[in-house]
Amino acid sequence: MKTLLTLCAAVGVLLAASNSASAYHNSPEDLAARCVNAVDGVVDRCTNAAADETQECVRTIRRLLSNGEVRAAHRVARECIRSATTRTENCANRVDRICLACIDILLEMGEPQLARRVNGVCEDAISQLRSLLQREKNAIRTALSGG
């Protein structure tokens, strides 16, 4: 449901930006800024969700280990890593959809330099998400090893 709402919001922003831009109410720079803000928003929401989920996973793993429930702790760790991976993939897919739409519109507007800049922001966002996932996995594995 969250994904659908996010997608609808992103499409709405892009359509509004596109319609406004074609009506000369928005400059290509305004559109690029909106796109970057949308991407940053996705990354921020995903980062916050990752922090919350990782913290809960680590707490649960530590509690299970302290109770001697090693198998259960391993199961929870696997589930947490699977969930983190799925969430990160969903976030990256949202970023990709926003970026592709924005870049297409900017190219249609005859702004290849702005499109390249937006693409750079998008690549950085995807890289941040990948790093975030790796940190999550490391935190979960550290908790599982008793750290």
Side-chain angles (χ1 to χ4, degrees):
M1 185 64 153
K2 276 180 151 180
T3 302
L4 180 60
L5 291 175
T6 302
L7 178 59
C8 290
V11 170
V13 166
L14 295 176
L15 288 175
S18 177
N19 291 338
S20 298
S22 63
Y24 301 104
H25 294 291
N26 268 338
S27 68
E29 292 81 8
D30 290 338
L31 173 61
R34 283 179 164 198
C35 293
V36 168
N37 286 338
V39 168
D40 288 345
V42 170
V43 172
D44 287 346
R45 285 188 300 279
C46 290
T47 300
N48 291 336
D52 292 344
E53 186 175 345
T54 302
Q55 185 177 24
E56 184 60 33
C57 286
V58 167
R59 253 191 249 129
T60 302
I61 290 166
R62 287 181 177 156
R63 180 182 49 77
L64 290 169
L65 289 175
S66 71
N67 291 339
E69 300 178 54
V70 175
R71 282 189 179 164
H74 280 270
R75 182 182 43 76
V76 167
R78 282 191 305 275
E79 289 171 7
C80 289
I81 288 173
R82 188 172 24 254
S83 175
T85 301
T86 299
R87 185 191 57 255
T88 301
E89 288 170 355
N90 290 338
C91 292
N93 288 338
R94 278 183 249 154
V95 167
D96 278 340
R97 284 191 301 269
I98 292 168
C99 292
L100 289 174
C102 289
I103 290 167
D104 285 347
I105 293 168
L106 288 168
L107 290 173
E108 287 175 15
M109 296 172 86
E111 295 291 339
Q113 287 181 330
L114 275 176
R116 276 192 295 276
R117 287 187 208 149
V118 169
N119 187 59
V121 168
C122 296
E123 288 175 356
D124 289 346
I126 298 294
S127 179
Q128 286 177 337
L129 292 170
R130 286 186 184 130
S131 295
L132 175 65
L133 176 59
Q134 192 56 53
R135 287 191 305 272
E136 284 183 89
K137 288 179 179 180
N138 290 343
I140 292 165
R141 288 178 182 135
T142 298
L144 193 57
S145 68

